[in-house]
Amino acid sequence: QQPVQSPQAVILREGEDAVINCSSSKALYSVHWYRQKHGEAPVFLMILLKGGEQKGHEKISASFNEKKQQSSLYLTASQLSYSGTYFCGTELAGTASKLTFGTGTRLQVTL
Amino acid sequence: GAGVSQSPRYKVAKRGQDVALRCDPISGHVSLFWYQQALGQGPEFLTYFQNEAQLDKSGLPSDRFFAERPEGSVSTLKIQRTQQEDSAVYLCASSRGTGQAFFGQGTRLTVV
């Protein structure tokens, strides 16, 4: 079953923060986050394995709550380059990195 | 290669025509995935290879879809007797086995 992402879309001014959530009804092995710009390939941001870890990548970080099967992506001090559609991809145990992607969150950063 | 390469980038097919989409994964990557992405949606899993073995084809929508990776590197996704609902972007991704997957830019297929 497809993970649910929220919000569906968000508009930010440069420098503002945002949180994107991803929720699954199934027990997850890992959560992968990607950003995709129009007409381009999805670009890997980070992967979180079960264990409730939190990872960071410059001003983008994420957490994974294994008990709730939820992951959140945190964007701080957003830049124009952050604009795009963000997808979470969930991996179940024993499925060899096969990902089920959410419907995406469209993020637009304006001046 | 430096990244995952897909060809052609764009393909227009007449309904009923057969098409073949090619994916060149990153050298040395054992895992290869095909996804289908409809406009405004997230990618949907089609099939997965580990080297030359097709280990999961549960996402292929019908028996008109066929994928192969005969030598464990380049992969081809073939769609026979294309229909309008096959119109989508077809994405290929590769990885070392687990963890991060690298995506190609995709092939946009339009069936008219």
Side-chain angles (χ1 to χ4, degrees), chain B residues 13-43:
Chain B
K14 288 185 178 178
R15 192 168 50 187
Q17 189 178 354
D18 297 349
V19 298
L21 312 180
R22 178 188 169 104
C23 172
D24 267 289
I26 293 172
S27 179
H29 278 192
V30 298
S31 297
L32 186 146
F33 304 84
W34 284 98
Y35 289 86
Q36 181 189 60
Q37 187 173 27
L39 190 64
Q41 301 295 316

Side-chain angles (χ1 to χ4, degrees), chain A residues 9 35 52 60 75 81-82 93:
Chain A
R35 176 173 59 214
I60 300 175
L75 307 171
S81 61
Y82 287 4

